[in-house]
Amino acid sequence: MSTTGWVVLGVVVVIVLWAISVYNSLVAMRQRVNQSFADIDVQLKQRHDLIPNLVETVKGYAAHERGTLEAVVQARNTAIAAPGVEQKVAAENMLTGALRQLFALSESYPDLKANQNFQQLQAELSDIENKLAAARRFFNNAVQEYNTGIQQFPAALFAGMFGFHPQQFFDLGESRAQLDQAPNVKF
């Protein structure tokens, strides 16, 4: 084999090794996105499991507030059944709104607010919400890295061919504006 043949073979081998390296890094990024979404799912399951206990506790004190309790249960069921990221985000935002109504309702019932079980469930839910926020940040960071990776040259040349498509962020949507605002404190 001539020198030119060896050079061409060497260039082909380098290009193939480079393509394999890029492909493997895209696979690793996609797996990080999948794993981080699974972490969110774990937190959401814990949240969903806690809600029936919370509803039952409130039901004992505010039985005539049936509409709010049913809205929480319905939102929970919708969130559990949501199949994809976009549907899950929408359902979780609806559940968060229903839980806000439930906690606002508790303000009207001093006996409920003072109930040890309610306080414990509220603290557990608050802890889960903090863990969810961290899991969402990790997921969104993984999605950002993945989406950037498949859009950067040279990976963009063949990412679509190998089934690498952009992922959606786990966005809080409309409730983001409420969370970004500082609470009003009045004395």
Side-chain angles (χ1 to χ4, degrees):
M1 189 178 250
S2 70
T3 307
T4 308
W6 284 109
V7 170
V8 169
L9 181 63
V11 169
V12 168
V13 166
V14 167
I15 290 173
V16 167
L17 290 175
W18 167 81
I20 290 171
S21 173
V22 170
Y23 178 83
N24 287 341
S25 69
L26 291 176
V27 168
M29 285 187 275
R30 182 171 53 194
Q31 287 303 103
R32 195 167 338 164
V33 168
N34 293 339
Q35 181 261 328
S36 61
F37 189 74
D39 290 346
I40 289 175
D41 253 356
V42 167
Q43 298 301 325
L44 291 176
K45 175 148 179 35
Q46 288 178 347
R47 181 185 191 200
H48 297 158
D49 291 346
L50 186 65
I51 290 172
N53 296 333
L54 189 61
V55 168
E56 285 302 315
T57 301
V58 173
K59 200 182 285 186
Y61 287 90
H64 62 281
E65 301 284 357
R66 186 178 182 112
T68 302
L69 298 174
E70 287 177 357
V72 171
V73 171
Q74 178 61 35
R76 175 191 177 264
N77 292 340
T78 302
I80 289 173
V85 175
E86 290 179 30
Q87 297 87 354
K88 200 171 278 288
V89 169
E92 289 301 326
N93 287 338
M94 189 172 75
L95 179 57
T96 299
L99 285 172
R100 280 196 187 111
Q101 288 178 340
L102 182 70
F103 288 126
L105 176 76
S106 73
E107 297 294 322
S108 303
Y109 296 91
D111 291 342
L112 173 61
K113 253 177 97 170
N115 179 287
Q116 183 77 17
N117 193 27
F118 181 76
Q119 288 177 351
Q120 180 184 356
L121 290 170
Q122 194 172 17
E124 286 180 39
L125 189 61
S126 178
D127 183 50
I128 289 171
E129 291 296 332
N130 290 335
K131 290 177 183 175
L132 257 173
R136 285 181 186 129
R137 281 192 303 273
F138 183 74
F139 174 76
N140 286 339
N141 183 49
V143 167
Q144 183 269 326
E145 287 179 18
Y146 172 77
N147 287 346
T148 301
I150 64 172
Q151 293 171 2
Q152 287 179 331
F153 183 81
L157 297 175
F158 58 88
M161 286 188 298
F162 292 121
F164 296 98
H165 303 290
Q167 297 288 322
Q168 296 293 319
F169 289 99
F170 201 112
D171 192 14
L172 293 176
E174 296 174 8
S175 64
R176 177 183 297 282
Q178 295 170 345
L179 294 175
D180 288 344
Q181 293 175 357
N184 292 330
V185 178
K186 295 181 183 176
F187 295 103

